[in-house]
Amino acid sequence: MRFTNKGSERVYEKISNVLKAIDLSSNRFEGEIPEVVGYLKGLQLLNLSNNLFTGHIPSSLVNLKELEALDFAQNKLSGVIPLQLVQLTFLSLFNVSHNHLTGPIPHGNQFDTFPNSSFIGNSELCGSPLSKKCENSEDSPPPPSTFEENQNSLSSFEFDWKVVVIGYGCGFIVGLLVGQIVIKHDWVMKTFAIGQPTRRMAIWRGYIN
């Protein structure tokens, strides 16, 4: 079996049980790439290059977390490159050259490692690594880094911790004041025998005797 894997053709003497791949390159397939491709979550390689596919790149491809190679070169795809694809951190090959794609090239994770050849042949595509700069913005904004997410989580934790401490402090002070008031009230009641007429009468009778 001859198979194009990561840009190079390889010969497999038998079907591999480890590699999960789809290679439909160099045919004359037409129409849009179906969204259901995103359901093949174990897929490691997807090669649809050198066909006549049209429409957008499916954003459902973000579900292919184990994908290592994605080749859509030499088609008629249009629209933008979905920003969600930045989440595919196992990608070592990404090729959408010679299509009709538009807009800024996403950045972050593996997308910062792909060469200029991965995007050439798209006249309306802009941003690094291409020499054409985007008009509205320099490049697409990168997704928040793990460090920034951890910092946000830490800030939220610190805020919650301060709120808890303040709550406990206020509760302690209020409880202390209420406790003192109750103790003083009880002392006054016992000292002047308020609310205990029988006992007061007994005390006075003792003095009379």
Side-chain angles (χ1 to χ4, degrees):
M1 180 180 67
R2 294 183 180 276
F3 202 88
T4 303
N5 187 352
K6 297 183 181 180
S8 61
E9 188 177 81
R10 301 182 183 182
V11 178
Y12 294 85
E13 296 182 359
K14 61 179 181 179
I15 297 176
S16 173
N17 294 325
V18 178
L19 181 63
K20 301 178 181 65
I22 294 177
D23 184 359
L24 300 177
S25 60
S26 301
N27 287 282
R28 297 186 62 83
F29 290 115
E30 300 177 356
E32 298 184 359
I33 300 173
E35 290 280 346
V36 293
V37 175
Y39 295 150
L40 307 177
K41 295 184 179 181
L43 201 61
Q44 296 171 300
L45 184 148
L46 179 60
N47 187 353
L48 303 180
S49 63
N50 295 299
N51 282 287
L52 301 173
F53 285 110
T54 57
H56 301 303
I57 298 176
S59 58
S60 62
L61 295 178
V62 70
N63 296 321
L64 307 182
K65 301 299 184 182
E66 299 182 19
L67 197 64
E68 300 176 8
L70 180 62
D71 194 345
F72 289 163
Q74 298 285 351
N75 280 284
K76 296 182 178 181
L77 298 173
S78 59
V80 299
I81 300 174
L83 181 60
Q84 296 93 326
L85 298 185
V86 174
Q87 301 176 34
L88 301 180
T89 55
F90 285 164
L91 270 183
S92 59
L93 182 142
F94 181 80
N95 194 347
V96 292
S97 61
H98 301 288
N99 280 281
H100 304 300
L101 299 173
T102 61
I105 296 173
H107 285 284
N109 295 329
Q110 298 301 102
F111 267 75
D112 291 338
T113 66
F114 300 139
N116 182 74
S117 58
S118 295
F119 307 98
I120 61 174
N122 295 278
S123 59
E124 298 300 321
L125 207 58
C126 61
S128 178
L130 296 178
S131 58
K132 181 180 180 179
K133 299 299 182 181
C134 300
E135 295 181 359
N136 297 331
S137 59
E138 294 183 357
D139 284 327
S140 63
S145 63
T146 304
F147 174 77
E148 290 175 346
E149 292 176 352
N150 291 339
Q151 287 294 100
N152 292 335
S153 300
L154 182 60
S155 299
S156 299
F157 173 77
E158 291 178 350
F159 176 76
D160 294 340
W161 179 80
K162 291 178 181 179
V163 171
V164 171
V165 170
I166 293 173
Y168 272 113
C170 294
F172 175 77
I173 294 174
V174 171
L176 189 63
L177 292 175
V178 171
Q180 290 183 353
I181 292 173
V182 171
I183 292 173
K184 289 182 179 180
H185 179 268
D186 187 61
W187 177 82
V188 170
M189 293 287 290
K190 288 182 179 180
T191 302
F192 295 98
I194 298 175
Q196 302 179 20
T198 304
R199 186 178 178 184
R200 184 174 59 182
M201 184 63 69
I203 293 174
W204 283 105
R205 286 176 180 176
Y207 278 117
I208 294 174
N209 293 334

